[in-house]
Amino acid sequence: MRIAIIAESFLPLMNGVTHSILRVLEHLEGQGHDVLVIAPSTHAVAEFAGTAEVVHGATVHRLPAVPLAGYTNVRVAMGGVYRVKRILADYAPDIVHLASPFVLGWRAVQAAHQLGIPTVAIYQTEVPSYAARYGVPFLENWAWNRVENIHLLATRTLVPSTFALNQLRGRGIPRVGIWRRGVDTARFSPEKRDARWRASVAPGGERIIGYVGRLAIEKQVEDLAALADVPNSRLVIVGDGPQRAALEEALPRAVFTGFLGGEELAKAVASFDLFVHPGEFETFCQTIQEAMASGVPVVATGRGGPLDLVENSRTGWLYQPGDLGGFRAHVMDLMGDDAKRRAFAAAAHASVQDRTWPALCGLLEEHYRSVITGEPVAEPVRGLPVVQPAQTKSGVSL
C-alpha cells in the first residue's frame, strides 16, 4: 500500500502521538509499504534545507509551522487545504492516516475527501477538554465542533479505549472502532529493575512512587502533592514540560529526572514500587501499560483510558476524578502492604503480555485494507461490533 500519515505532532517532540506513529512506521517498513509522513517543521529541520528526512523508511515532508503559545516545543503547521491537497495529489496514496487530527488533520481530511482518497482518523487526544485546564473554557464547544467535523468526514475513526468509543458515539460520530496500543514487553520488563538507580533517587531506602509523562497543565501533575508526605516513600517524576519549574517549587521533596528515553526509561519504570497517574484526559495512557509490563501496580484516575487498563483490586486501583483523599488512600494501601503490592504487580505484568505492537499494527493494516476495499475487518476487537465500510451518496462503498 501507499500510505500518507498526517502527523499533528512528530519528531523531535516525543509524546504519545509521536510514539505511536514511530511504532506504526517501523511495522509498515517491515511489511514493505510505501509511506509519506506530512508533519509540522521544527527548529532543527527546515523545509527548504534541500535534504530529505527519512524515518523508518518513510519520507517526511515538513510544512512551515509556528510554536504554540505557552508550549513552544509544540508547533502548529501553517497553510491551507490546497497545500496539503497538492502534496497528496502528487503522492497518490491508497489511504490517508490522520494521527490525532485537529489543525493539520482538519486540512488533510478535507483535502483527501476532495481527492476521493479514503481516510482512517485516529482519535488520540481529548483536545476539547484541555480548554478549561488552560483557562479558556469558552473554546471547548468550538473544539468539539472541530473534532466532530473531522471524524464525520473521515471514512473510519479508530479510538484506543471504550471510554473514547462511547464519547464519540455519544456525539453522533459514525463508523467508529477500537484500535488499542501495543507495548514493548521486552523493553519494559521487571528484569530492568535496578538497585543502583533506586539508591540514586531514594538513598534512604524509601519505596518509590513514580510518575512518567509530560509536565503540562492537562496532566494534573500538581495532584501528586497529595502524596508528598506518604511515610517511607520518595516521589520520582520522570518527564519534562512547561510546568516543570512550578512543579519543582510545589513538590520540593520530589526527585525530577527530566526526560528519559530508551533503556534509561525502562530501567526507571521497572525500579518504581508503584506507578501513579492523576490525569483525567487520557484517551489511553501508554505509560500505564509500560508500568504494568514492568511489573509495577498502578493507581490512576477513574476516567478515560485507565478504565480499560487498570482492574480494581487486581492490577491496581482507580479513584474518582478529583478525590485526592481517595487517591492517597489507595496509594497508602499498596505502599503499606508488601504482599498485596507484589500480588498486584504480578497480575499487572501478566495482563499486558499479549498486547504487542506487531499484533496491534497488524490489526491497523487490516483496517487500512478494509477501508480501501469496503470489506469489514475480519474479526471484532474484544467483542466490539465490526466497523462497517462507509457509503457514498450513491451507495458505493468507500
Side-chain angles (χ1 to χ4, degrees), residues 74-112:
V74 175
R75 296 175 67 81
V76 180
M78 305 290 287
V81 174
Y82 177 75
R83 183 169 195 151
V84 180
K85 183 177 178 180
R86 188 183 64 202
I87 298 167
L88 291 178
D90 289 343
Y91 179 64
D94 298 305
I95 194 161
V96 174
H97 171 134
L98 306 163
S100 194
F102 193 73
V103 178
L104 179 56
W106 171 229
R107 298 173 199 143
V109 75
Q110 294 177 83

Side-chain angles (χ1 to χ4, degrees), residues 5-24:
I5 296 180
I6 313 300
E8 203 73 46
S9 62
F10 195 55
L11 294 173
L13 178 65
M14 278 303 299
N15 55 27
V17 176
T18 303
H19 180 260
S20 295
I21 293 171
L22 291 175
R23 299 314 299 261
V24 168

Side-chain angles (χ1 to χ4, degrees), residues 338-362:
D338 291 346
K340 179 185 283 190
R341 194 174 64 253
R342 284 194 294 268
F344 277 38
H349 178 256
S351 72
V352 299
Q353 293 309 297
D354 62 344
R355 302 177 190 171
T356 66
W357 272 110
L360 271 295
C361 288

